[in-house]
Amino acid sequence: MKNVRNVLILLTLTLSIFTIPSLSSQVLAKEITTNSSVVTQGELITTVNYNMLRNSSVKLFSANQNIQIQSGGHLISISSGGVVSSNNSLGTAVVYSFNPNGDYVKYLITVNAS
């Protein structure tokens, strides 16, 4: 009986070791991506912080701009006309808008509940 209890304790500890890394990786997955390899040309002109409500739309970009969503593609969508539409999810999206010279503006678009 004592051996069975020891085996059960050992088995429980072994299984708990495997669950701890999976919980920490879920937390890291929610962080904003900071991979700078997406931006390869030109210089950063400025950073724009923009707040918008969920399930709303606003025209932020002109139709001829080169726009690249780096992270938060599940939060927003951008039409070919430059209209940004937010989805039901809350969070912050990172978007780069390039001019013809390759210089860019970094947009931090935060989707809020109210």
Side-chain angles (χ1 to χ4, degrees):
M1 189 68 167
K2 195 172 189 178
N3 282 341
V4 172
R5 187 174 59 175
N6 288 340
V7 169
L8 286 175
I9 291 172
L10 182 63
L11 182 62
T12 304
L13 289 174
T14 304
L15 291 175
S16 67
I17 290 172
F18 293 118
T19 59
I20 292 172
S22 66
L23 291 176
S24 64
S25 64
Q26 289 174 357
V27 172
L28 293 176
K30 293 183 179 180
E31 293 179 2
I32 296 175
T33 305
T34 57
N35 184 1
S36 61
S37 65
V38 176
V39 181
T40 57
Q41 54 186 340
E43 298 292 325
L44 175 64
I45 297 172
T46 189
T47 300
V48 176
N49 292 312
Y50 188 82
N51 292 304
M52 67 185 300
L53 296 176
R54 66 178 164 190
N55 298 321
S56 65
S57 297
V58 64
K59 184 170 175 66
L60 281 181
F61 305 103
S62 65
N64 62 351
Q65 286 179 301
N66 180 11
I67 301 164
Q68 191 176 73
I69 299 176
Q70 181 179 12
S71 67
H74 64 287
L75 299 172
I76 62 170
S77 60
I78 303 174
S79 72
S80 59
V83 176
V84 178
S85 300
S86 62
N87 299 326
N88 198 27
S89 300
L90 304 177
T92 302
V94 179
V95 178
Y96 290 102
S97 171
F98 294 91
N99 68 16
N101 297 331
D103 299 330
Y104 62 94
V105 175
K106 180 179 179 179
Y107 286 82
L108 299 173
I109 302 172
T110 303
V111 180
N112 297 310
S114 59

